[in-house]
Amino acid sequence: MNLKMNQKYSNVLALELAIYQVHDQDYDPTDKIVDFWKKYDIRTIQNTISLLLKKSADRWPNENLIELCQKQVFGFDLLAVLLAYFHVHKDYVDMSKLDFSDAETTGFSLDELEITKRIHEFFGRIID
């Protein structure tokens, strides 16, 4: 039973760790971008997103069609932004002049980031 519970939450834990790692002292987002593109090619990303969307649709056959469409649109948008980041990285595009301050989720995202920072610091003190 304990093993099943651990498996059940392992994906959630991995996602949470990905979020909290941005607060590590040696965290460098450019390293993450480079590592990602060394690890995955475009075809693998496309196939994985397609598989996730298919599994999502298969898992809940009575799921609302609008929700399924939103997941598909998100999958397409995610692939598009990954490709864009790849080209920014590959072509050494300077993004410093881009302004994201009016993005719809910026305020919420900054609040969420501050919360994850406090949680990261709390657990960091416990471990030390």
Side-chain angles (χ1 to χ4, degrees):
M1 174 93 168
N2 219 2
L3 181 60
K4 284 185 181 181
M5 218 164 44
N6 290 342
Q7 290 172 346
K8 180 179 178 182
Y9 295 109
S10 64
N11 290 340
V12 175
L13 180 59
L15 286 174
E16 291 294 324
L17 289 174
I19 292 168
Y20 292 125
Q21 72 182 347
V22 302
H23 304 294
D24 290 342
Q25 285 182 344
D26 59 345
Y27 178 78
D28 183 354
T30 57
D31 287 344
K32 292 295 176 188
I33 292 170
V34 170
D35 290 346
F36 180 87
W37 291 111
K38 284 180 181 177
K39 191 174 181 180
Y40 301 104
D41 60 82
I42 299 302
R43 178 67 60 199
T44 300
I45 296 167
Q46 182 180 8
N47 290 340
T48 304
I49 290 172
S50 294
L51 181 64
L52 290 171
L53 290 172
K54 182 183 180 324
K55 283 187 175 188
S56 174
D58 289 347
R59 187 173 297 144
W60 296 292
N62 297 327
E63 185 174 23
N64 182 318
L65 184 60
I66 293 173
E67 290 176 13
L68 179 59
C69 289
Q70 288 172 339
K71 288 179 184 179
Q72 289 174 334
V73 168
F74 177 78
F76 301 144
D77 288 346
L78 178 61
L79 181 57
V81 78
L82 288 173
L83 285 166
Y85 272 114
F86 172 73
H87 283 283
V88 164
H89 170 71
K90 179 179 74 71
D91 299 333
Y92 303 102
V93 175
D94 179 15
M95 292 182 52
S96 64
K97 296 178 182 164
L98 295 179
D99 181 16
F100 297 103
S101 62
D102 63 343
E104 190 173 312
T105 59
T106 300
F108 177 75
S109 297
L110 293 175
D111 290 343
E112 288 293 311
L113 188 60
E114 182 59 32
I115 291 168
T116 63
K117 182 179 180 185
R118 286 185 288 193
I119 293 170
H120 181 271
E121 290 170 349
F122 173 77
F123 284 107
R125 287 192 301 268
I126 291 174
I127 292 171
D128 294 339

